[in-house]
Amino acid sequence: MFRTQTMSTSQNSPPLPAVMKVPDDVLLEIFYHLLGPPDTAVQDSDTWLPVTLSHVCSNWRCLTLVSPLLWTNIFLTSFSNPAILGQYLTRSRDALLRVNIAPPIISNMALLAQTLSSQSHRFVSFDSHNIVGHTATEMFTFFTSPAPQLRSLRIHSGYETSLDTMFDDQMPLLSDMEIAAYSSNLLARTARNLTRLLIDVEYIEADELVNLLRACPTLESLNLSCSLRQPDDVFRRPGGIPVITLKCLRELHVHQSNSCLAILPSLSFPKTTVVKLRYSRQLEPVTALRDCASLREIASN
């Protein structure tokens, strides 16, 4: 699989450069470390790295071409070349893919999205930032096939876009989700095994948030930046609602709206949880804070 070198013993032969003496397996480890961390969004530099490495010398080119993991970072914009995308998908073979779709979005994106969507069964992370308007809706219609390996889904936009059919709701391994400024229709269907959840939408129905959190007992990090619709109908109904137990929660961030604080009395989490609250200076939040048993326990320690 890797090259073999014949070292000349002739005294007249020039010495090999030090880098040529580095074993292939060590070189590969160096190449892998040059890629971005696996828990962050793919950057443009990550995508072009294997191309750069493959143009250093013939030996490095051979090494990169037989190393599928080097070709698994896909950073896609409308300026991306469909032929190059095809090469990445071929050279990565069956390895899992990390995908980031970034603006600008123009007509060329439809072809790119269609080509990439055929590999959704290999997606391990999918990021889309600042994709706006009808082009976002059009682009996401291509990603309707299951993504059985997907662990991380992060979608940020300034516009509301329907995500009802995304990945056909087949994301059994999804553990990390960020939905910002979109409608929340994707949330309740996908939240099953989440350990990290960020919701940054203008509004979410109070009962939808309750059902969502009840479906995520393994949450370790929860960040709520939203307003609740009809919180009184849910939290002040006779008898209240059953307590939502988040026994694994390590971080809780609630900000932007006082109405979102209304869910606190219905949450139960460890006293070791780091809690960060941000709300306007009104008397309304005081009741919600006082009625949260977990917060009282934290304050008493």
Side-chain angles (χ1 to χ4, degrees):
M1 177 178 177
F2 298 142
R3 72 180 189 276
T4 57
Q5 293 181 348
T6 302
M7 306 289 288
S8 174
T9 57
S10 171
Q11 294 182 352
N12 296 325
S13 298
L16 285 172
V19 69
M20 297 300 293
K21 301 177 183 179
V22 178
D24 286 341
D25 56 342
V26 176
L27 271 179
L28 273 180
E29 286 299 318
I30 295 174
F31 294 167
Y32 293 149
H33 279 289
L34 293 175
L35 298 174
D39 58 344
T40 60
V42 175
Q43 301 301 315
D44 192 24
S45 57
D46 298 326
T47 296
W48 285 106
L49 176 64
V51 175
T52 303
L53 295 175
S54 68
H55 284 75
V56 172
C57 64
S58 60
N59 286 332
W60 283 27
R61 180 168 180 80
C62 291
L63 186 58
T64 56
L65 291 180
V66 297
S67 305
L69 293 180
L70 290 176
W71 305 90
T72 56
N73 289 335
I74 308 295
F75 185 89
L76 210 60
T77 73
S78 291
F79 300 131
S80 300
N81 187 308
I84 293 179
L85 174 60
Q87 290 182 355
Y88 271 68
L89 297 179
T90 299
R91 292 174 181 178
S92 60
R93 301 181 188 176
D94 295 326
L96 299 180
L97 302 174
R98 297 170 60 223
V99 177
N100 189 356
I101 299 179
I105 300 298
I106 52 178
S107 57
N108 191 42
M109 181 55 75
L111 176 59
L112 294 167
Q114 187 174 19
T115 301
L116 183 61
S117 64
S118 66
Q119 302 297 314
S120 62
H121 62 283
R122 292 203 281 147
F123 292 175
V124 69
S125 68
F126 187 93
D127 293 79
S128 177
H129 289 256
N130 301 318
I131 309 300
V132 299
H134 68 278
T135 53
T137 302
E138 179 183 0
M139 184 189 69
F140 287 130
T141 59
F142 290 105
F143 297 96
T144 56
S145 298
Q149 301 296 328
L150 192 68
R151 271 79 165 176
S152 175
L153 176 64
R154 301 171 184 172
I155 298 179
H156 293 239
S157 174
Y159 291 79
E160 184 169 322
T161 300
S162 176
L163 303 173
D164 280 342
T165 60
M166 197 164 190
F167 299 126
D168 196 30
D169 193 25
Q170 300 296 314
M171 298 171 275
L173 299 182
L174 188 66
S175 61
D176 183 341
M177 183 161 67
E178 291 185 10
I179 303 294
Y182 273 90
S183 61
S184 59
N185 52 22
L186 179 71
L187 295 175
R189 299 184 301 111
T190 58
R192 297 184 183 93
N193 302 309
L194 296 181
T195 58
R196 178 178 175 273
L197 174 63
L198 182 150
I199 304 176
D200 184 2
V201 295
E202 185 174 358
Y203 287 100
I204 182 173
E205 297 292 337
D207 56 352
E208 182 179 357
L209 180 59
V210 169
N211 293 333
L212 171 64
L213 296 181
R214 203 177 297 284
C216 303
T218 57
L219 271 180
E220 298 178 7
S221 177
L222 174 61
N223 191 322
L224 300 176
S225 179
C226 53
S227 295
L228 298 184
R229 281 197 177 107
Q230 301 178 323
D232 290 347
D233 293 348
V234 175
F235 301 114
R236 295 184 180 180
R237 65 180 58 157
I241 64 171
V243 172
I244 303 169
T245 301
L246 302 174
K247 61 182 180 181
C248 301
L249 197 65
R250 295 185 291 106
E251 299 177 344
L252 173 62
H253 297 204
V254 182
H255 52 93
Q256 180 176 316
S257 167
N258 288 348
S259 68
C260 200
L261 296 175
I263 198 173
L264 287 177
S266 302
L267 299 182
S268 174
F269 43 85
K271 61 183 180 181
T272 55
T273 302
V274 175
V275 180
K276 295 184 180 180
L277 307 176
R278 181 186 303 168
Y279 51 88
S280 61
R281 302 183 67 179
Q282 298 177 4
L283 294 178
E284 179 187 352
V286 175
T287 301
L289 301 180
R290 185 184 61 233
D291 293 345
C292 179
S294 293
L295 281 179
R296 291 201 307 268
E297 186 176 3
I298 291 174
S300 64
N301 285 277

